[in-house]
Amino acid sequence: MGTESNESATPSLSRTAGGGGDKDAELLARLGYKQEFRRNFSPIEVFGIVFSIIGLMPSLASVLIYALPNGGASALVWGWTVCSIFLIIIALAMAELGSAAPTSGGLYYWTFMFSSDRWRCLLSWIVAYSNTVGNIASVASVDWGCAVQIMAAVSIGSNLAFTPTTAQTYGVFCALLLTHGTICSLNPAIIARLQKPYIVINVLLCLAVIISLPAASPDQFMNNAKYAFGNFTNFLEVSGWPDGYAFILSFLYPLWTIGAFDSTVHISEEATNASVAIPWSILLSAVISAGLGWGINVAFAFCMGKDIETILASPIGQPMATILFNSLGQKGTLAMWAFIVVVQFAIGTSIVTTCSRQLFAFSRDGGLPMSRILYYISPKSHAPVTCVWFAVIISLLLGLLAFAGSSAIGAVFSLVVAGQYVAYSIPIAARYLGGKNIRPGPFSLGVMSLPVAVVAVTFMVFIVIVFMFPMSPNPTAQDMNYTAVVLGGTLALAIGYYYFPKYGGIHWFKGPVANIEAIPNSEQDVISEVVHEKDLGDKT
């Protein structure tokens, strides 16, 4: 089984449409793949993809509800600070791998190349499915967050007379997904050109909040430095979790916001100067987002008042919208909120784009059910339209968890982090445990590579375990953390599919499948003792 290669279509090593050059196509060919996408994304637009997916203000708005009850001001300021350090370390590890082997398969491709011969196919399979689940959960959580934000705007506009139902919010969620599916089915060059405006709007929106909150907040909502930097409020104490563990649970706030480091990797086959643009985009997006995010959180800590319980219980239904409403009033909040919704919508466009590229890469290697259908690029739009709509449809189904309660839809947000961290940690660890050597790309950490990898993997394993726990030690069906169910169930099905008698992946999945007749020789190999034609899988 597996996706068949079109052997008659050899890659063009001349300049590709959209500005790609010889080196990018040659590098991709040495990794075993022909150039199928147009290289529409310049380095600044590659950065724009990951920076727009992070989308600080709307992302913070989506998950602020997980920080305030788990530490209050301390969770905002110090929880963010602690996690930012580890996030930058993870970004460094990911950037180094992205520079060495920039292909849309990314994580599972690296896993296969670095792992031992005995385990490479199974580990590559697990990483691919974890990455797939995490990416689709990202699509669902982003558009669910956008739907909640739109309904919050309606509530504010009605002077809090309107309270949305779950069904109404799900209806908006469906409309957003269908709109994003339509946009991402268009020529990718359109999405590439949108990235520069996205960067500008993101930065200006962050600065607007940092400046306007202290300037406009009434005295009754202003806090002193002792409160902003030292208050700790644990609403979970009554349910049984101690302060320390509640503080750790607040990590979902920064970890969900600053992530998707693999997003640039998945569009690497559409990027110019990919081996340089990919790593620097990952690193700069993490550092800039950490800095701007810290400023925003300090502004919240000083300007949100001390009554966190009222913020969480507000009929607006959105903690950040409530904080802005208290500080800026109805008109000021609606103006600011309109830009937050626009940026959140932009996040949805970018995340569907990168998710579809990961699905395309895995189906190209025959790993997904219906791979022959999913492995398709529209000759008119040059976009992988079947993968786009596959992501949309599965996200629509994930959104149904909202009807099971807030904890169930909250699991989708945790699933993003847990699924992606499983997919990130395995290739980073395999690089050192698989017994194979990597020749680094232009971005290299040198002697710091191993320490960075150890810290990154250790932290991610710890976070995956933490995010499997419920919000209380004795959960009910409403309080249950469904992350373990969804992620564990998906991985169990994936492993079951792999070992299924006669038809399972163990019988036909050979890892990344070369779809090029001959890999061009080069004086500078991309990966030493790792990329060999036999390692790229048999064409089946």
Side-chain angles (χ1 to χ4, degrees), residues 371-455:
S371 284
R372 293 177 183 272
I373 298 173
L374 293 172
Y375 178 36
Y376 171 76
I377 297 178
S378 169
K380 293 183 178 180
S381 67
H382 309 289
V385 292
T386 51
C387 290
V388 167
W389 288 103
F390 180 82
V392 167
I393 292 170
I394 301 301
S395 297
L396 285 169
L397 297 176
L398 268 180
L400 292 172
L401 283 171
F403 292 97
S406 59
S407 294
I409 194 64
V412 177
F413 289 87
S414 298
L415 180 62
V416 173
V417 178
Q420 296 294 48
Y421 280 6
V422 169
Y424 292 177
S425 59
I426 292 177
I428 294 174
R431 174 183 174 182
Y432 296 98
L433 300 177
K436 298 187 178 181
N437 299 319
I438 175 176
R439 177 168 294 175
F443 183 94
S444 173
L445 299 177
V447 296
M448 293 303 296
S449 292
L450 179 57
V452 165
V454 170
V455 174

XYZ file of all heavy atoms in Angstrom, residues 371-455:
627
model
N -5.509 7.960 1.517
C -4.345 8.730 1.080
C -4.374 9.051 -0.406
O -3.955 10.131 -0.838
C -3.054 7.967 1.406
O -2.755 8.038 2.777
N -4.888 8.117 -1.207
C -4.924 8.353 -2.651
C -5.829 9.527 -3.007
O -5.622 10.204 -4.016
C -5.377 7.090 -3.387
C -4.374 5.935 -3.284
C -4.908 4.679 -3.959
N -3.984 3.566 -3.794
C -2.965 3.304 -4.619
N -2.750 4.097 -5.661
N -2.176 2.275 -4.401
N -6.844 9.749 -2.182
C -7.751 10.880 -2.413
C -7.156 12.165 -1.851
O -7.206 13.229 -2.483
C -9.127 10.607 -1.771
C -9.780 9.382 -2.419
C -10.040 11.831 -1.882
C -11.067 8.949 -1.738
N -6.557 12.086 -0.665
C -6.025 13.271 -0.001
C -4.780 13.809 -0.697
O -4.538 15.023 -0.694
C -5.711 12.941 1.457
C -6.911 12.626 2.352
C -6.445 12.132 3.714
C -7.798 13.844 2.505
N -3.992 12.923 -1.289
C -2.772 13.350 -1.967
C -3.127 13.957 -3.326
O -3.102 13.293 -4.358
C -1.823 12.157 -2.127
C -0.530 12.457 -2.866
C 0.117 13.673 -2.718
C 0.048 11.508 -3.693
C 1.299 13.938 -3.390
C 1.233 11.757 -4.369
C 1.859 12.983 -4.214
O 3.025 13.250 -4.879
N -3.491 15.220 -3.279
C -3.975 15.885 -4.492
C -3.752 17.392 -4.374
O -4.033 17.992 -3.340
C -5.470 15.602 -4.686
C -6.130 16.419 -5.779
C -5.935 16.094 -7.122
C -6.943 17.513 -5.473
C -6.532 16.839 -8.123
C -7.555 18.254 -6.467
C -7.339 17.914 -7.793
O -7.936 18.655 -8.783
N -3.212 17.981 -5.426
C -3.084 19.435 -5.529
C -3.921 19.902 -6.708
O -3.777 19.396 -7.823
C -1.623 19.859 -5.731
C -0.782 19.470 -4.518
C -1.526 21.367 -5.977
C 0.691 19.800 -4.657
N -4.809 20.835 -6.467
C -5.674 21.336 -7.525
C -4.840 22.003 -8.617
O -4.020 22.884 -8.327
C -6.664 22.352 -6.955
O -7.334 23.040 -8.003
N -5.032 21.616 -9.870
C -4.274 22.249 -10.956
C -4.676 23.705 -11.182
O -3.926 24.466 -11.793
C -4.621 21.373 -12.171
C -5.930 20.739 -11.825
C -5.916 20.541 -10.344
N -5.834 24.091 -10.683
C -6.299 25.478 -10.863
C -5.787 26.393 -9.759
O -5.244 27.468 -10.023
C -7.823 25.515 -10.916
C -8.417 24.836 -12.143
C -9.944 24.987 -12.169
C -10.535 24.343 -13.415
N -12.020 24.476 -13.452
N -5.972 25.979 -8.505
C -5.588 26.849 -7.397
C -4.201 26.536 -6.842
O -3.637 27.326 -6.086
C -6.604 26.728 -6.259
O -6.557 25.438 -5.673
N -3.643 25.371 -7.190
C -2.347 24.915 -6.685
C -2.378 24.711 -5.170
O -1.353 24.831 -4.494
C -1.235 25.896 -7.063
C -1.210 26.242 -8.518
N -0.821 25.345 -9.489
C -1.566 27.386 -9.181
C -0.915 25.914 -10.676
N -1.367 27.142 -10.523
N -3.558 24.415 -4.622
C -3.727 24.156 -3.196
C -4.177 22.708 -2.991
O -4.864 22.137 -3.841
C -4.766 25.107 -2.603
N -3.818 22.088 -1.852
C -4.255 20.701 -1.562
C -5.686 20.704 -1.028
O -5.931 20.510 0.162
C -3.248 20.244 -0.504
C -2.875 21.502 0.217
C -2.913 22.606 -0.813
N -6.641 20.913 -1.894
C -8.020 21.200 -1.486
C -8.662 20.041 -0.721
O -9.458 20.263 0.203
C -8.887 21.600 -2.698
C -8.459 22.939 -3.243
C -8.830 20.528 -3.785
N -8.370 18.806 -1.092
C -8.995 17.686 -0.366
C -8.498 17.630 1.077
O -9.266 17.329 1.994
C -8.706 16.347 -1.071
O -7.304 16.221 -1.309
C -9.437 16.263 -2.401
N -7.228 17.951 1.298
C -6.697 17.982 2.665
C -7.299 19.142 3.450
O -7.556 19.018 4.653
C -5.177 18.111 2.628
S -4.328 16.626 2.016
N -7.519 20.264 2.793
C -8.154 21.414 3.449
C -9.525 21.024 3.986
O -9.852 21.258 5.166
C -8.281 22.597 2.473
C -9.214 23.676 3.046
C -6.914 23.201 2.166
N -10.343 20.390 3.155
C -11.709 20.066 3.567
C -11.763 18.872 4.511
O -12.682 18.766 5.337
C -12.595 19.848 2.342
C -12.854 21.172 1.679
C -12.271 21.664 0.554
C -13.721 22.200 2.175
N -12.716 22.933 0.298
C -13.618 23.291 1.272
C -14.567 22.320 3.262
C -14.339 24.470 1.450
C -15.283 23.490 3.443
C -15.169 24.550 2.548
N -10.770 17.994 4.447
C -10.672 16.923 5.433
C -10.457 17.513 6.828
O -11.101 17.112 7.805
C -9.522 15.977 5.068
C -9.337 14.827 6.016
C -10.119 13.685 5.909
C -8.382 14.880 7.031
C -9.955 12.617 6.787
C -8.201 13.827 7.906
C -8.996 12.690 7.783
N -9.560 18.495 6.933
C -9.308 19.167 8.212
C -10.555 19.877 8.716
O -10.873 19.846 9.911
C -8.156 20.165 8.068
N -11.282 20.520 7.816
C -12.503 21.247 8.189
C -13.557 20.279 8.735
O -14.183 20.532 9.775
C -13.052 22.033 6.992
C -14.467 22.533 7.264
C -12.132 23.204 6.654
N -13.768 19.166 8.048
C -14.815 18.216 8.443
C -14.510 17.587 9.804
O -15.389 17.494 10.670
C -14.982 17.127 7.359
C -15.571 17.740 6.083
C -15.883 15.997 7.867
C -15.544 16.819 4.882
N -13.269 17.168 10.023
C -12.914 16.566 11.313
C -13.023 17.606 12.431
O -13.446 17.298 13.551
C -11.497 15.965 11.268
C -11.407 14.893 10.170
C -11.147 15.347 12.619
C -12.376 13.745 10.342
N -12.671 18.854 12.136
C -12.800 19.923 13.130
C -14.257 20.166 13.492
O -14.584 20.432 14.662
C -12.160 21.215 12.607
O -10.777 21.059 12.402
N -15.137 20.103 12.518
C -16.570 20.234 12.799
C -17.036 19.171 13.787
O -17.830 19.452 14.693
C -17.369 20.123 11.495
C -17.351 21.332 10.557
C -17.959 20.959 9.208
C -18.109 22.508 11.165
N -16.524 17.962 13.622
C -16.897 16.874 14.531
C -16.314 17.097 15.929
O -16.981 16.850 16.932
C -16.418 15.535 13.961
C -17.040 15.113 12.623
C -16.412 13.811 12.133
C -18.547 14.954 12.762
N -15.063 17.576 16.003
C -14.452 17.853 17.302
C -15.241 18.920 18.063
O -15.370 18.868 19.286
C -13.007 18.324 17.123
C -11.894 17.283 17.155
C -10.538 17.957 16.965
C -11.906 16.488 18.447
N -15.778 19.889 17.332
C -16.536 20.964 17.959
C -17.780 20.487 18.677
O -18.285 21.166 19.585
N -18.269 19.318 18.317
C -19.456 18.764 18.979
C -19.199 18.468 20.454
O -20.143 18.313 21.229
C -19.909 17.489 18.259
C -20.464 17.684 16.836
C -20.702 16.341 16.169
C -21.767 18.491 16.866
N -17.916 18.385 20.848
C -17.597 18.174 22.255
C -18.136 19.300 23.131
O -18.321 19.125 24.334
C -16.077 18.061 22.439
C -15.424 16.738 22.037
C -13.910 16.861 22.079
C -15.890 15.614 22.953
N -18.391 20.461 22.540
C -18.910 21.595 23.309
C -20.236 21.258 23.977
O -20.553 21.764 25.056
C -19.069 22.817 22.410
N -21.017 20.392 23.350
C -22.319 20.028 23.909
C -22.187 19.101 25.122
O -23.168 18.858 25.819
C -23.187 19.377 22.831
C -23.585 20.334 21.746
C -22.878 20.386 20.559
C -24.656 21.194 21.910
C -23.232 21.269 19.546
C -25.032 22.086 20.907
C -24.314 22.129 19.722
N -20.965 18.591 25.351
C -20.725 17.758 26.521
C -20.295 18.583 27.729
O -20.102 18.036 28.812
C -19.664 16.703 26.217
N -20.136 19.893 27.542
C -19.767 20.764 28.650
C -18.469 21.500 28.406
O -17.715 21.193 27.472
N -18.194 22.495 29.248
C -17.011 23.331 29.076
C -15.715 22.536 29.233
O -14.718 22.832 28.568
C -17.035 24.490 30.083
O -17.075 23.991 31.412
N -15.706 21.536 30.103
C -14.500 20.723 30.278
C -14.185 19.923 29.021
O -13.020 19.709 28.677
C -14.662 19.773 31.468
O -14.752 20.488 32.674
N -15.235 19.486 28.325
C -15.027 18.694 27.114
C -14.409 19.546 26.010
O -13.453 19.127 25.348
C -16.350 18.092 26.651
N -14.951 20.758 25.802
C -14.371 21.614 24.756
C -13.009 22.124 25.208
O -12.111 22.358 24.404
C -15.316 22.788 24.406
C -14.867 23.457 23.096
C -15.397 23.800 25.525
C -14.948 22.569 21.878
N -12.822 22.260 26.543
C -11.507 22.634 27.059
C -10.461 21.589 26.737
O -9.276 21.901 26.576
N -10.894 20.346 26.629
C -9.970 19.263 26.291
C -9.384 19.448 24.901
O -8.269 18.991 24.623
C -10.681 17.915 26.381
N -10.116 20.112 24.010
C -9.599 20.360 22.660
C -8.382 21.274 22.742
O -7.394 21.094 22.024
C -10.691 20.978 21.760
C -10.129 21.304 20.385
C -11.869 20.018 21.634
N -8.432 22.276 23.654
C -7.293 23.171 23.825
C -6.100 22.415 24.417
O -4.959 22.596 23.982
C -7.687 24.346 24.728
C -8.637 25.316 24.082
C -10.007 25.118 24.125
C -8.154 26.430 23.411
C -10.884 26.012 23.526
C -9.023 27.332 22.805
C -10.393 27.124 22.860
N -6.354 21.565 25.430
C -5.280 20.757 26.010
C -4.735 19.770 24.989
O -3.537 19.475 24.960
C -5.792 19.991 27.233
O -6.221 20.864 28.243
N -5.615 19.259 24.135
C -5.227 18.282 23.126
C -4.223 18.874 22.147
O -3.319 18.178 21.675
C -6.467 17.794 22.381
C -6.261 16.765 21.270
C -5.659 15.484 21.835
C -7.595 16.461 20.572
N -4.369 20.165 21.841
C -3.424 20.831 20.944
C -2.019 20.724 21.513
O -1.075 20.308 20.822
C -3.809 22.316 20.754
C -2.718 23.037 19.964
C -5.148 22.439 20.052
N -1.870 21.096 22.782
C -0.554 21.082 23.418
C -0.041 19.651 23.581
O 1.100 19.339 23.214
C -0.602 21.792 24.780
C 0.757 21.731 25.464
C -1.042 23.245 24.610
N -0.868 18.765 24.134
C -0.434 17.386 24.389
C -0.080 16.671 23.088
O 0.963 16.004 22.991
C -1.527 16.626 25.133
N -0.953 16.778 22.077
C -0.702 16.104 20.802
C 0.559 16.605 20.130
O 1.365 15.817 19.609
N 0.754 17.922 20.144
C 1.936 18.472 19.499
C 3.205 18.140 20.273
O 4.249 17.872 19.670
C 1.795 20.003 19.365
C 0.649 20.442 18.461
C 0.859 20.050 17.002
O 1.192 18.905 16.675
N 0.658 20.998 16.107
N 3.140 18.125 21.604
C 4.345 17.843 22.369
C 4.783 16.389 22.237
O 5.979 16.086 22.289
C 4.145 18.218 23.837
C 4.303 19.712 24.089
C 4.472 20.607 23.033
C 4.294 20.228 25.380
C 4.617 21.958 23.254
C 4.447 21.590 25.615
C 4.597 22.454 24.543
O 4.748 23.801 24.758
N 3.838 15.480 22.086
C 4.201 14.094 21.781
C 4.939 14.049 20.439
O 5.986 13.390 20.302
C 2.952 13.193 21.737
C 3.295 11.817 21.155
C 2.345 13.031 23.126
N 4.406 14.789 19.470
C 4.999 14.793 18.130
C 6.339 15.525 18.106
O 7.220 15.184 17.314
C 4.031 15.439 17.138
N 6.527 16.543 18.941
C 7.792 17.271 18.978
C 8.893 16.484 19.685
O 10.042 16.465 19.248
C 7.629 18.601 19.740
C 6.775 19.661 19.085
C 6.522 20.858 19.737
C 6.211 19.476 17.827
C 5.743 21.849 19.169
C 5.423 20.452 17.251
C 5.183 21.645 17.929
O 4.399 22.622 17.363
N 8.535 15.858 20.812
C 9.564 15.270 21.668
C 10.216 14.040 21.052
O 11.421 13.809 21.253
C 8.964 14.922 23.034
O 7.890 14.015 22.907
N 9.471 13.248 20.305
C 10.029 11.997 19.764
C 11.157 12.248 18.765
O 12.243 11.664 18.898
C 8.915 11.115 19.163
C 7.997 10.609 20.290
C 9.512 9.936 18.397
C 6.821 9.786 19.810
N 10.990 13.111 17.739
C 12.121 13.320 16.822
C 13.310 14.012 17.480
O 14.463 13.721 17.136
C 11.528 14.197 15.712
C 10.308 14.814 16.297
C 9.788 13.817 17.272
N 13.053 14.909 18.433
C 14.167 15.571 19.120
C 14.972 14.542 19.907
O 16.210 14.548 19.889
C 13.639 16.687 20.045
C 13.009 17.808 19.218
C 14.776 17.257 20.895
C 12.331 18.887 20.055
N 14.267 13.625 20.594
C 14.950 12.577 21.352
C 15.612 11.568 20.422
O 16.741 11.112 20.675
C 13.953 11.876 22.273
N 14.934 11.219 19.332
C 15.465 10.207 18.401
C 16.778 10.648 17.771
O 17.622 9.813 17.424
C 14.437 9.921 17.305
N 16.942 11.951 17.655
C 18.187 12.453 17.070
C 19.402 11.960 17.842
O 20.471 11.716 17.260
C 18.151 13.985 17.051
C 19.459 14.606 16.598
C 19.413 16.115 16.652
N 20.722 16.663 16.345
C 21.015 17.952 16.344
N 20.064 18.825 16.640
N 22.230 18.378 16.065
N 19.261 11.790 19.148
C 20.389 11.372 19.981
C 20.309 9.920 20.414
O 21.324 9.328 20.780
C 20.474 12.283 21.211
C 20.765 13.712 20.845
C 19.741 14.644 20.761
C 22.053 14.117 20.538
C 19.988 15.951 20.392
C 22.320 15.422 20.164
C 21.286 16.338 20.091
O 21.540 17.630 19.710
N 19.120 9.334 20.383
C 18.954 7.958 20.846
C 18.936 6.942 19.707
O 19.030 5.738 19.952
C 17.656 7.832 21.660
C 17.558 8.715 22.910
C 16.197 8.541 23.577
C 18.679 8.387 23.886
N 18.795 7.413 18.474
C 18.646 6.493 17.350
C 19.947 5.979 16.781
O 19.942 5.122 15.886
N 21.079 6.516 17.239
C 22.372 6.022 16.772
C 22.773 6.510 15.402
O 23.632 5.905 14.753
N 22.167 7.618 14.934
C 22.515 8.144 13.621
C 22.945 9.600 13.751
O 22.568 10.292 14.688
C 21.339 8.002 12.662
C 20.959 6.543 12.463
C 19.913 6.352 11.401
C 19.626 4.867 11.217
N 18.616 4.616 10.174
N 23.732 10.030 12.807
C 24.301 11.369 12.870
C 23.599 12.307 11.910
O 23.209 11.908 10.812
C 25.790 11.339 12.530
C 26.585 10.492 13.500
O 26.346 10.545 14.707
N 27.516 9.707 12.977
N 23.474 13.540 12.313
C 22.853 14.548 11.467
C 23.895 15.592 11.102
O 24.658 16.047 11.951
C 21.662 15.228 12.177
C 21.101 16.368 11.315
C 22.044 15.742 13.541
C 19.863 17.023 11.912
N 23.957 15.942 9.843
C 24.783 17.067 9.437
C 23.896 18.298 9.490
O 22.899 18.385 8.773
C 25.343 16.871 8.034
C 26.157 18.073 7.547
C 26.933 17.751 6.289
N 27.965 16.753 6.564
C 28.727 16.224 5.615
N 28.558 16.567 4.360
N 29.639 15.325 5.939
N 24.191 19.250 10.341
C 23.281 20.379 10.560
C 23.131 21.256 9.338
O 23.983 21.281 8.445
C 23.950 21.140 11.713
C 25.393 20.784 11.630
C 25.418 19.359 11.156
N 22.030 21.993 9.320
C 21.799 22.977 8.286
C 22.477 24.285 8.647
O 23.308 24.343 9.556
N 22.123 25.376 7.975
C 22.744 26.676 8.257
C 22.535 27.148 9.696
O 23.354 27.878 10.234
C 22.040 27.621 7.271
C 21.566 26.731 6.160
C 21.213 25.429 6.815
N 21.417 26.716 10.327
C 21.144 27.079 11.726
C 21.544 25.910 12.614
O 20.958 24.835 12.551
C 19.659 27.403 11.910
C 19.303 27.850 13.304
C 19.266 29.191 13.626
C 19.008 26.919 14.292
C 18.944 29.610 14.913
C 18.686 27.316 15.578
C 18.661 28.673 15.890
N 22.573 26.111 13.449
C 23.054 25.021 14.302
C 23.389 25.555 15.688
O 23.914 26.665 15.832
C 24.297 24.377 13.682
O 24.866 23.429 14.558
N 23.114 24.757 16.718
C 23.406 25.128 18.099
C 24.761 24.612 18.565
O 25.180 24.910 19.686
C 22.311 24.577 19.025
C 20.890 25.082 18.768
C 19.908 24.385 19.703
C 20.801 26.596 18.942
N 25.407 23.831 17.746
C 26.722 23.320 18.100
C 26.695 22.448 19.340
O 25.850 21.558 19.479
N 27.592 22.741 20.292
C 27.699 21.920 21.497
C 26.479 22.061 22.406
O 26.271 21.244 23.305
C 28.964 22.291 22.301
C 30.215 21.968 21.503
C 28.952 23.773 22.702
N 25.657 23.081 22.174
C 24.464 23.286 22.995
C 23.283 22.449 22.522
O 22.234 22.435 23.174
C 24.080 24.765 23.005
C 25.067 25.671 23.714
S 25.341 25.158 25.430
C 23.706 25.409 26.116
N 23.419 21.762 21.416
C 22.301 20.992 20.856
C 21.759 19.960 21.838
O 20.549 19.861 22.053
C 22.739 20.292 19.562
O 22.994 21.226 18.548
N 22.662 19.166 22.432
C 22.222 18.111 23.350
C 21.569 18.671 24.615
O 20.481 18.226 24.987
C 23.391 17.191 23.696
C 23.066 16.046 24.670
C 21.935 15.174 24.130
C 24.311 15.202 24.936
N 22.184 19.634 25.326
C 21.513 20.190 26.511
C 20.151 20.792 26.201
O 19.195 20.611 26.967
C 22.490 21.256 27.009
C 23.797 20.907 26.429
C 23.522 20.203 25.154
N 20.055 21.495 25.084
C 18.773 22.090 24.693
C 17.742 20.992 24.451
O 16.579 21.105 24.884
C 18.949 22.967 23.429
C 17.601 23.282 22.786
C 19.660 24.268 23.785
N 18.140 19.930 23.766
C 17.219 18.827 23.478
C 16.747 18.149 24.761
O 15.563 17.827 24.906
C 17.894 17.811 22.557
N 17.648 17.931 25.718
C 17.297 17.260 26.981
C 16.274 18.088 27.752
O 15.256 17.566 28.228
C 18.551 17.021 27.834
C 18.160 16.559 29.237
C 19.457 15.984 27.180
N 16.523 19.379 27.869
C 15.602 20.253 28.599
C 14.249 20.311 27.893
O 13.190 20.219 28.533
C 16.196 21.667 28.748
C 15.161 22.614 29.370
C 17.455 21.639 29.606
